[in-house]
Amino acid sequence: FTQGGGTSATSSALAAYTLTVAELLANNILDITATVESITLTLPATSTMTTLLSTAGDMREWLIHNATGTSGITMTIAAGSGIDLIGVTTADDVIDPTEWSRLTCYRKATTGATLDVTCIVSELLATD
């Protein structure tokens, strides 16, 4: 079984960037470079995810890379409308420069509820 998609490389001078469903459908690896300041990366609203996670139990996973090499420029992953964002610690949603995050999202059985998609965010640190 291979889960796949492309790799997207994006740079932004904005303090906020909202991922689109099209980006998430086409790619499993997202390299994002903030060029000016720290950035908040917001997930799309679940109301737009009908082709991405259409059925209860559907699940997708992405690797998100803070490709910024500049010290202090962090990337914060934020929940879009209808998403319950969870992690092991309260800091897992903040990705430091050159670090990665694994984002796993699934559609809950309560489709149409206020929070009908749960996303698990895990900050991944360099170990070597």
Side-chain angles (χ1 to χ4, degrees):
F1 173 71
T2 300
Q3 176 184 348
T7 299
S8 170
T10 303
S11 63
S12 176
L14 303 173
Y17 183 84
T18 300
L19 288 168
T20 67
V21 170
E23 287 173 302
L24 295 176
L25 276 169
N27 303 289
N28 282 78
I29 298 174
L30 305 167
D31 281 306
I32 301 171
T33 304
T35 58
V36 176
E37 58 185 295
S38 295
I39 187 170
T40 298
L41 183 67
T42 303
L43 302 173
T46 59
S47 60
T48 66
M49 291 187 173
T50 55
T51 56
L52 182 64
L53 299 169
S54 59
T55 306
D58 283 356
M59 180 161 60
R60 289 282 306 261
E61 185 170 79
W62 300 269
L63 288 175
I64 301 171
H65 180 219
N66 181 351
T68 303
T70 305
S71 178
I73 296 183
T74 60
M75 180 182 306
T76 301
I77 298 174
S81 177
I83 293 178
D84 184 17
L85 191 62
I86 61 174
V88 175
T89 72
T90 58
D92 277 354
D93 59 339
V94 179
I95 309 167
D96 294 322
T98 71
E99 292 181 354
W100 293 79
S101 179
R102 181 170 56 194
L103 180 70
T104 307
C105 298
Y106 73 93
R107 170 99 34 200
K108 296 195 278 189
T110 54
T111 300
T114 304
L115 297 173
D116 55 352
V117 170
T118 293
C119 294
I120 304 164
V121 62
S122 303
E123 183 182 17
L124 303 172
L125 312 175
T127 59
D128 57 354

